[in-house]
Amino acid sequence: ALPAPVFETKEFRAPSTPIEEIVAGVFAEVLGVQRVGADDDFFALGGNSLVATQVAARLGTALDTQVPVRLLFEAATVSALAARIQEQAGSGGRAALVPQPRPTRTLPSGEVVDAAPLSLAQQRMWFLNRFDQQSAAYNIPLVIRLSGDLDVAALRAAVADVVGRHEVLRTVYPETESGPVQLVLPAAQAVPRLQIRSVTPDQVVAAVSELVSTGFDVTAEVPLRVALFELDGTAGEFVLTMVVHHITGDGSSAGPLTRDVMTAYAARAAGEAPAWATLPIQYADYSIWQRELLGDEADPESLAAQQAGYWQSALAGVPDQLDLPTDRPRPAVQSFAGSRVDIAIDAETHAGLQRVARQQGATLFMVVHSALAVLLSRLSGSDDITIGTPVAGRGERALDDLIGMFVNTLVFRTELDRGESFAELLSRQRETDIAAFAHADVPFERLVEVLNPARSTARHPLFQVGLIFQNLAASVLELPGLTVSGFDFDTEISQFDLNLILSDSYDTTGAPEGVTGFLTYATALFDHATVEGFAQRFARLLREIVAAPETAVGDLEILAPVERAQVLAQWNATEHGVPAGLLLDRFDAAAAAHPDRLAISFEGTSLSYGEFAGRVNQLARYLIAQGVGPETLVGLLVSRSVDLVVGMYAVVAAGGAYVPLDPAHPAERIGYILDTAAPLCVLTTTADTGAVPEDTGVPVLALDTLDISGYDTAPLTDADRLSPVRSSNTAYVIFTSGSTGRPKGVAVSHAAIGNQVAWMLDQYPLDASDVYLQKTATTFDVSLWGYFLPLAAGAHLVVATPDGHRDTEYLARVIAEYQVTVTDFVPSMLSVFAAHTPAESIRSLEHVFVIGEALPPETVTAMHSISDAAVHNLYGPTEAAVSITYWQATGTDQGSVPIGVP
C-alpha cells in the first residue's frame, strides 16, 4: 500500500516589475479574472486569438509602445511578454483615443452643425443601405423576455436616456456634395417611439421577425427601433425588441446597450435620473481618430499603406468565388434569405481540439479555422480557401462602454497541400492567422477597394464562407421587479453562403464542456438536408483530427460509414452477368425467331429481319472472300442509309472491324484516317465515292454496284470465316479528335460493346413495340446505341436522312410517322428541338438518351414541357464503349444535371 500522493500546486508569483504589473492588469481586465501572476499564460487563462488583438492594443496604449499581436503568441506568460515589450520599448505607441475636434457643415437652412465623417466600416454599411434600403441583412436584433411588474413609463424614459447618452443612436447619415456625414440629432428629436403591441403567445415570434426584418433608410431616420410586445392572456409577460442597423452598432454593442438600459430603467423606476459616468468619447470621435491613425495611403510610412501592402500580397490571386456543391444555381442578386442548422461538439472532442492546439502553439480558433478550411477544400475541390472572420475592433479602453460599429472583418487564406498532415497545416496556418490579426486595422471595406476583386451582386467579395467564434461577455440584465430571460429566434438571414457561428464553454474548474453553435446558410443555394450534411462532416472531421492529427488532410474522413459504403460498394455494385459471345449474337437470335418482323426503315424503304439478315450475311461472305477476318479493318464511308447499316453489320459478321468515315468530313481528315488505320478496303456507294481521297492505295467497293446474289443468306459460323472470332476481337475502330488535335483511333472489342448493349437493354428494356430513331453521325460513338440496341431486342430501327439530325421539323415528322419511342440527342440539339417542336407530334416518345455535353436543367424542363418522355443523361469516353455513367434527369436538378452513377 503506497502512501496517498501529495501533488505539487503551482505557486503564485506576483508581478515584480511595473511592466509586469501592467501586463497582468490588462490580462485580468480583458479576461475577467481576479488575479494574474507573473507565470500565468494568457491562453491558459482563457484568452483566444480574437481577444489577443484587444490585449495588444491596450498594452500599446498603456506603455506608449508598439505591441504586435505576434508577441502574445511568442511569449504568452506575463513575465515573458513583459520582457519582450521591454526589449522594444521606445518604439512609440499610437495616438490616444480622446475627444476630437468636430468638423462642421452648413445645412441648406444656414444652420452650422457638427458633421463628422463616417468610419470606414460605416461607409460600406451606408453604401449597402443605399443599394437596398429594404434589406434586413444588416439589422441587429436584441430580444429579451420580461416577466413581472413592468413600468412602461420607466422603460420609455430609459430608452430616451440611452439615446441621449450615445450619440450614435441618434445619428443620421445624409449625403452631401463631399459624401455622407454623421449628423447627430438632438435627443428630444431622435428618441424612437416605443411601440407597444398586444399579441398572442403564438404570434410573438412572427411579430418580432416582422420588426427585425424591416429595413432602414439611414440617410433620413435614426437606425434604432424599439417595440414592446405584451402577451395576451399571460399577465405580466412581455417581449422587448430593439433593432439597430449595423451602421450604428455591432455584436459587441449588446453589452453596453443592455447595461445602460438596466441602469436607466432601475433609476427611472425609482423616480431618479441614471447616475452613470460620462462616456470618455462618442462614436464620431472614434471615426475621426481612426482616419488619423491609419493616415494617408499615399504615404508609404503610414499604417494604412503598410497594412494594405500586406493584404495585397497575402491575398494576391485568391479565387473570386468558392464553388461548393449547391442545390441550386447562384442567383444574379444575393437575397440574404437564410436558415440555420445547429452544431454541437462534445466535451471530449473539445478537449482533444485544445490538446492539438497546444501541441502546435496555436489556439482553439486556429484549429477550428484550419479544420473548416479542410472541409471546404474537400467539398469544393479547391485548394485555395478564403474564410472571413470578424474581430471586435475594440482594442482601446475608451470603447468598452460605447455602442458603435467597431467590428472589422479579416480574410484568412488557406492554401492546402492535401499530402501534408493536419498538424503541419495548423503550424503554417498559425503563422498566417497571427499575421492577419497583426494587420487588422485596415477595414475590410477599404481592403475590398484596394484589392478590387471582380464585383458581383450575387456573392460577397473575397470570401463566401464566414467563421464567428463567439467570445462576447455575457450580459446580465437585472431590472427591479422583473425576471429577465433570453428569447431565441431565427432571423432567417445569412450574410454569406455559409456562416459557422460557434461558442465554447467550460465548467467551474476550466475543463471543456463542449462547443455549440449553428451554421447559417443561404436558402437560395442550399437545402436544409445538404447543410445538415456539411455540419455532420465538420463534426466528423474534428473527431478525425483529434484522433490522428498527423493524418494527411486529403485522407481525413468526411464520409459517414453508410456514405462510404454507398460510394464504394452500392454505387459501384455494377456486377452483371453479361452473355458470352459476339456483338451480333442477339440480332441473329431475333432474326431467326421473327424473320417477318419489321427491322429497318429508311426514306420509304423497309426490310424485315429476315430480309435484312439475308443481305448482311451475303455481304459478309463476300467480304470474307476479299480477305476480311478477325482484326481486319474495313473503312465504311457511307452516308446514313440502309446500305450503311448492312455494310456495318456485314463487316462485324465477317469477323472484321469497321472504321466509320463521314463523307462530309474534309478529304485531309479522311486521308489521314485511312493512312493510319490502313484498312483492307473501303466500303462506299456510288453517291459517296467522290469523298474517298485519290491515291490512298486502298481498294474501294461500292455497295450499290456489288453483285452478291450468289452468296448464301444463312447465318455465319466460324466455319465460314477465315478464322474463329472471339469476344476479345475488335468490332470497330472510331477516330476521335484526339487531345493533340489529330484524329486518334480507338479500337473497341465485341465484349466491350456487347457489355454496353447488355447493360442498356437491362436498364432500358426494349421489345418489338419499340421504335428507335437513329440520327447520330456514324463517326460519333453514340451512334452504336441506335445501330445495335433495337435490332438486338427485336425492335424497329428507323434511320434518319444524312442531314436530318439538324432539322427539327423533319425529326418531329419522322417521330410522328413511325411512332418512335426512343432516340438520342446531344444537349444543344435537344434544346433547339424542345424549343421548336409541338407536343402533339412527339407523343409516342418514351425515352430520350442525352450525351456528349453538359446537360442544362432548363433543357430538361423544356423537353418535359412538350413530352412525357424520360430524359436520361449518360456519359463516357469512347475508350469505354460509349457510356459509363447514367442519371435520369427529373427537372429538379439545379446548375447542371449530375454526371450520374456507374
Side-chain angles (χ1 to χ4, degrees):
L2 296 174
V6 178
F7 295 103
E8 276 189 34
T9 58
K10 182 179 178 182
E11 181 180 345
F12 177 80
R13 186 167 68 87
S16 59
T17 69
I19 294 182
E20 285 186 357
E21 290 178 355
I22 292 172
V23 171
V26 171
F27 279 15
E29 176 188 24
V30 172
L31 299 177
V33 297
Q34 295 296 318
R35 187 176 74 160
V36 177
D39 298 320
D40 285 334
D41 184 289
F42 171 73
F43 297 105
L45 290 173
N48 57 50
S49 305
L50 306 179
V51 176
T53 59
Q54 193 175 30
V55 169
R58 296 195 178 189
L59 286 174
T61 300
L63 298 170
D64 191 27
T65 189
Q66 293 289 339
V67 180
V69 173
R70 177 178 294 277
L71 282 188
L72 258 176
F73 291 89
E74 296 175 348
T77 65
V78 169
S79 58
L81 182 57
R84 292 292 299 275
I85 292 174
Q86 182 74 39
E87 291 174 4
Q88 61 178 45
S91 58
R94 25 208 255 173
L97 176 51
V98 296
Q100 305 287 317
R102 302 286 181 91
T104 60
R105 294 285 167 86
T106 302
L107 299 180
S109 63
E111 181 185 1
V112 179
V113 297
D114 291 344
L118 276 61
S119 71
L120 294 173
Q122 282 184 322
Q123 281 191 178
R124 178 168 170 79
M125 290 298 106
W126 187 89
F127 171 78
L128 292 172
N129 181 257
R130 302 312 298 148
F131 185 75
D132 184 5
Q133 295 174 22
Q134 304 305 314
S135 173
Y138 294 98
N139 286 1
I140 302 176
L142 176 63
V143 188
I144 53 178
R145 184 183 292 272
L146 306 173
S147 304
D149 185 14
L150 177 65
D151 185 337
V152 175
L155 179 60
R156 183 177 283 114
V159 171
D161 290 331
V162 174
V163 170
R165 175 172 170 78
H166 294 272
E167 287 183 354
V168 75
L169 294 179
R170 47 190 169 92
T171 300
V172 292
Y173 305 88
E175 186 172 10
T176 70
E177 292 181 357
S178 56
V181 296
Q182 299 186 55
L183 181 60
V184 180
L185 302 177
Q189 180 183 341
V191 175
R193 180 176 64 88
L194 176 62
Q195 306 174 42
I196 301 177
R197 290 177 52 190
S198 181
V199 297
T200 62
D202 59 350
Q203 292 173 334
V204 66
V205 171
V208 170
S209 296
E210 181 184 7
L211 183 71
V212 170
S213 61
T214 302
F216 287 95
D217 177 1
V218 302
T219 66
E221 61 179 316
V222 173
L224 169 67
R225 293 194 186 102
V226 186
L228 182 68
F229 299 103
E230 184 176 7
L231 303 189
D232 285 347
T234 309
E237 288 294 324
F238 306 86
V239 174
L240 176 64
T241 304
M242 292 182 281
V243 186
V244 297
H245 190 274
H246 215 341
I247 200 170
T248 289
D250 55 21
S252 297
S253 295
L257 180 57
T258 53
R259 289 196 301 270
D260 286 352
V261 168
M262 174 186 68
T263 302
Y265 178 84
R268 292 301 179 181
E272 301 172 356
W276 44 40
T278 303
L279 291 170
I281 65 164
Q282 292 289 341
Y283 189 83
D285 298 315
Y286 164 78
S287 64
I288 297 169
W289 170 85
Q290 180 195 45
R291 291 175 178 273
E292 292 180 352
L293 172 72
L294 292 175
D296 186 349
E297 280 185 28
D299 176 8
E301 300 301 318
S302 70
L303 183 62
Q306 293 172 5
Q307 294 204 5
Y310 163 79
W311 288 111
Q312 284 178 304
S313 174
L315 299 181
V318 294
D320 290 325
Q321 180 173 298
L322 179 64
D323 292 316
L324 293 168
T326 62
D327 296 298
R328 283 167 290 283
R330 186 180 295 275
V333 178
Q334 185 181 6
S335 70
F336 299 103
S339 188
R340 71 188 196 186
V341 169
D342 291 336
I343 287 180
I345 307 301
D346 59 73
E348 182 181 357
T349 304
H350 184 187
L353 294 172
Q354 285 194 316
R355 183 172 62 252
V356 173
R358 286 195 301 271
Q359 290 169 351
Q360 298 300 324
T363 64
L364 181 62
F365 168 83
M366 293 175 180
V367 177
V368 171
H369 166 233
S370 299
L372 179 60
V374 171
L375 176 68
L376 297 175
S377 174
R378 297 284 295 277
L379 291 175
S380 67
S382 171
D383 291 334
D384 194 347
I385 304 295
T386 54
I387 297 172
T389 295
V391 289
R394 292 174 177 260
E396 312 301 316
R397 184 177 285 102
L399 303 179
D400 284 354
D401 297 324
L402 195 61
I403 297 168
M405 172 53 168
F406 302 104
V407 68
N408 192 18
T409 301
L410 300 184
V411 183
F412 294 99
R413 184 181 195 175
T414 305
E415 296 179 278
L416 292 102
D417 174 355
R418 299 196 181 196
E420 70 178 337
S421 70
F422 181 82
E424 292 169 329
L425 170 64
L426 178 58
S427 178
R428 284 198 302 107
Q429 197 61 44
R430 173 185 181 275
E431 296 303 309
T432 300
D433 288 7
I434 291 173
F437 284 122
H439 295 83
D441 294 296
V442 174
F444 175 77
E445 293 69 27
R446 179 58 188 146
L447 182 60
V448 173
E449 295 175 3
V450 170
L451 294 175
N452 195 28
R455 306 298 179 91
S456 171
T457 57
R459 61 171 183 264
H460 192 273
L462 295 181
F463 66 90
Q464 290 82 49
V465 177
L467 170 61
I468 300 177
F469 216 99
Q470 300 276 25
N471 64 314
L472 303 179
S475 297
V476 179
L477 186 61
E478 296 178 357
L479 299 176
L482 291 171
T483 300
V484 181
S485 58
F487 184 89
D488 187 35
F489 77 105
D490 186 356
T491 61
E492 298 183 343
I493 287 175
S494 185
Q495 292 184 2
F496 315 119
D497 294 358
L498 297 173
N499 197 15
L500 180 61
I501 302 172
L502 299 175
S503 179
D504 51 341
S505 60
Y506 304 84
D507 64 18
T508 55
T509 69
E513 288 187 322
V515 179
T516 57
F518 49 90
L519 183 61
T520 73
Y521 62 92
T523 51
L525 297 177
F526 299 105
D527 290 334
H528 189 83
T530 299
V531 182
E532 276 188 325
F534 294 166
Q536 292 165 4
R537 296 187 204 293
F538 183 63
R540 188 175 302 117
L541 186 63
L542 293 179
R543 292 193 294 270
E544 287 279 314
I545 288 167
V546 167
E550 297 303 324
T551 303
V553 294
D555 293 337
L556 289 166
E557 184 61 83
I558 65 170
L559 295 179
V562 66
E563 291 175 324
R564 176 165 285 278
Q566 183 180 28
V567 172
L568 296 183
Q570 183 179 332
W571 285 352
N572 285 293
T574 58
E575 299 85 357
H576 189 93
V578 180
L582 304 179
L583 174 56
L584 298 184
D585 285 353
R586 289 194 182 201
F587 161 69
D588 290 339
H594 309 286
D596 296 327
R597 183 181 294 172
L598 188 59
I600 184 171
S601 298
F602 173 77
E603 288 294 282
T605 299
S606 294
L607 298 177
S608 68
Y609 270 83
E611 293 169 333
F612 177 70
R615 286 185 56 178
V616 166
N617 294 331
Q618 286 180 311
L619 180 57
R621 285 184 166 87
Y622 173 84
L623 293 174
I624 291 172
Q626 309 308 310
V628 175
E631 301 304 321
T632 302
L633 302 188
V634 176
L636 190 61
L637 194 151
V638 183
S639 298
R640 218 167 14 240
S641 60
V642 171
D643 280 336
L644 169 66
V645 187
V646 170
M648 180 184 300
Y649 271 59
V651 172
V652 175
Y658 71 89
V659 181
L661 300 159
D662 192 334
H665 280 174
E668 181 184 1
R669 177 184 174 90
I670 295 173
Y672 176 82
I673 293 175
L674 291 176
D675 288 344
T676 304
L680 178 73
C681 60
V682 172
L683 299 181
T684 186
T685 64
T686 52
D688 293 320
T689 189
V692 181
E694 298 179 0
D695 302 325
T696 62
V698 180
V700 178
L701 306 176
L703 293 173
D704 51 346
T705 62
L706 292 178
D707 182 7
I708 57 174
S709 58
Y711 290 92
D712 193 351
T713 60
L716 279 81
T717 67
D718 277 343
D720 300 306
R721 301 182 178 106
L722 297 180
S723 60
V725 181
R726 301 292 178 254
S727 61
S728 58
N729 286 130
T730 304
Y732 62 88
V733 174
I734 284 184
F735 277 75
T736 69
S737 59
S739 58
T740 63
R742 306 205 70 174
K744 175 189 64 175
V746 176
V748 179
S749 66
H750 284 257
I753 188 60
N755 179 61
Q756 175 83 174
V757 170
W759 175 79
M760 291 197 74
L761 291 180
D762 181 73
Q763 186 68 28
Y764 315 108
L766 303 182
D767 58 29
S769 66
D770 284 296
V771 181
Y772 197 120
L773 173 59
Q774 204 307 109
K775 59 181 188 55
T776 302
T778 313
T779 51
F780 186 17
D781 58 1
V782 180
S783 65
L784 277 299
W785 292 342
Y787 289 128
F788 293 108
L789 278 179
L791 299 186
H796 180 194
L797 168 61
V798 175
V799 180
T801 58
D803 291 320
H805 60 285
R806 299 187 180 95
D807 186 341
T808 58
E809 291 185 9
Y810 165 80
L811 294 176
R813 185 172 66 251
V814 171
I815 291 172
E817 178 183 349
Y818 288 98
Q819 291 296 286
V820 171
T821 60
V822 186
T823 189
D824 55 74
F825 280 93
V826 293
S828 53
M829 185 57 196
L830 180 63
S831 176
V832 175
F833 180 78
H836 295 88
T837 301
E840 58 271 13
S841 64
I842 60 169
R843 296 192 186 283
S844 61
L845 271 183
E846 296 177 6
H847 297 280
V848 175
F849 301 132
V850 188
I851 194 170
E853 305 158 353
L855 174 57
E858 53 268 24
T859 298
V860 180
T861 302
M863 188 61 195
H864 283 166
S865 70
I866 62 170
S867 172
D868 294 330
V871 178
H872 308 282
N873 192 38
L874 297 100
Y875 172 77
T878 302
E879 291 82 349
V882 191
S883 66
I884 57 174
T885 65
Y886 71 106
W887 186 264
Q888 182 167 337
T890 62
T892 60
D893 301 305
Q894 301 294 329
S896 63
V897 178
I899 195 172
V901 295

